[in-house]
Amino acid sequence: NLRKSKAAAIRNRAQRSSLRTALKKAGTAGSSAEDKTRAIQLLDRAARIVRFNRGMSGATGGGLAGVHNENWVERFVAPLDEERVREIFARAVSGRSVRGNVNAILTKTGEQRIIRWYAEPLRDSDGRIESILCGGEDITEQVRASEEVQRLARIARERERLADLGAIAARLVHDLGNPISGLSMQAQLLIRRVRKQRRPASDALLQPAERILHAVDRLNTLIRGFMDFAREQRLEIEDVDVADLARSVL
């Protein structure tokens, strides 16, 4: 038992030393590698979970006892990322380092957390790769904040686009308003003259003039719609009686 305890202590010290070295190579900095990466786990060559730290327990929402020897990819990686993570893990098993891979994991409650991973292969005394040491940073809040910034930027761009369209609509209304008003006046004047003359020959002009006036009215309706669109909209929120509102629109 004493020999086993000493051997286990030596292995633990070796793993901690390998951890610091691996994370340093992976580009993580800080006075404490474990504090910096928060989540640390050791996987065997088949991606089975050998051990992990409290940071990993916090990220996944559960302790090691419930997942020991389970396949890491199958147990925790989000389905959309599984194939890509398997390929990356295969590269690590072949001896290559992994730096900055980002993928989603599923917690015990089903929540998704976004982790940025750094991984280094660990070798035995004969130089053969026996396990993969992984350190991860939980960047979920950073990703969400970035997505929120992008969403607000899209809204700002959309508002700018609508403002440009409003300016175009205002210019269009201004440029079309005067000619259409003149056309309407001419059509009304022609109709009045035809009706005053009361001649059979003049009646042939009445129907086309009325059609012109009707078309002008439709154009004016469209122009008013453009004007409403170009005008700044201000919402006034107030309590209404639903029954009265329904009667007013039906």
Side-chain angles (χ1 to χ4, degrees):
N1 290 337
L2 182 60
R3 288 182 180 178
K4 291 182 179 179
S5 298
K6 288 183 177 180
I10 292 172
R11 284 196 300 271
N12 287 338
R13 285 196 297 270
Q15 286 178 350
R16 284 196 294 270
S17 176
S18 298
L19 172 97
R20 296 188 183 95
T21 303
L23 294 177
K24 184 176 180 181
K25 288 180 180 179
T28 57
S31 58
S32 170
E34 292 195 5
D35 288 342
K36 177 64 178 177
T37 57
R38 297 190 182 93
I40 298 170
Q41 64 177 345
L42 186 69
L43 307 178
D44 67 13
R45 291 176 57 89
R48 291 186 295 260
I49 300 168
V50 177
R51 61 182 298 184
F52 55 57
N53 70 340
R54 286 186 301 231
M56 193 65 203
S57 295
T60 59
L64 176 63
V67 296
H68 185 249
N69 278 336
E70 286 195 34
N71 184 280
W72 153 252
V73 179
E74 295 174 359
R75 180 65 178 80
F76 287 112
V77 176
L80 290 177
D81 290 334
E82 275 193 23
E83 183 177 355
R84 181 171 58 84
V85 171
R86 290 183 190 278
E87 293 175 356
I88 293 171
F89 186 80
R91 292 205 301 268
V93 171
S94 70
R96 286 180 283 180
S97 300
V98 174
R99 300 188 180 188
N101 173 59
V102 176
N103 66 268
I105 66 171
L106 298 176
T107 68
K108 188 176 181 179
T109 61
E111 179 191 6
Q112 280 199 2
R113 306 295 296 180
I114 309 300
I115 310 294
R116 179 188 291 122
W117 292 104
Y118 301 86
E120 284 286 335
L122 300 184
R123 301 176 185 273
D124 59 19
S125 58
D126 296 325
R128 293 173 298 190
I129 295 173
E130 61 177 0
S131 57
I132 305 298
L133 185 63
C134 308
E137 295 179 80
D138 188 337
I139 59 171
T140 305
E141 301 309 321
Q142 298 175 37
V143 171
R144 288 175 180 170
S146 176
E147 290 174 348
E148 179 64 12
V149 169
Q150 293 176 14
R151 186 185 70 84
L152 294 175
R154 286 195 298 271
I155 292 175
R157 289 194 297 270
E158 184 66 15
R159 287 178 177 174
E160 289 178 1
R161 188 182 71 84
L162 291 175
D164 292 341
L165 290 175
I168 293 172
R171 180 62 181 270
L172 183 64
V173 167
H174 180 269
D175 291 346
L176 292 179
N178 290 336
I180 289 177
S181 296
L183 183 60
S184 177
M185 291 178 61
Q186 292 298 321
Q188 292 178 44
L189 181 60
L190 179 59
I191 290 172
R192 284 199 297 269
R193 287 181 178 178
V194 168
R195 288 174 176 170
K196 282 182 180 180
Q197 292 179 359
R198 298 180 180 278
R199 297 177 182 177
S202 300
D203 291 343
L205 298 175
L206 183 60
Q207 191 174 9
E210 289 177 340
R211 285 200 298 268
I212 291 173
L213 187 60
H214 179 67
V216 168
D217 288 340
R218 290 181 60 190
L219 286 174
N220 280 326
T221 301
L222 290 174
I223 287 176
R224 284 194 295 272
F226 276 120
M227 291 176 66
D228 291 339
F229 175 78
R231 191 179 298 115
E232 182 180 0
Q233 303 294 321
R234 293 184 180 275
L235 297 179
E236 296 182 3
I237 301 176
E238 60 181 14
D239 295 332
V240 297
D241 185 277
V242 176
D244 291 341
L245 178 62
R247 282 192 294 270
S248 68
V249 299
L250 294 178

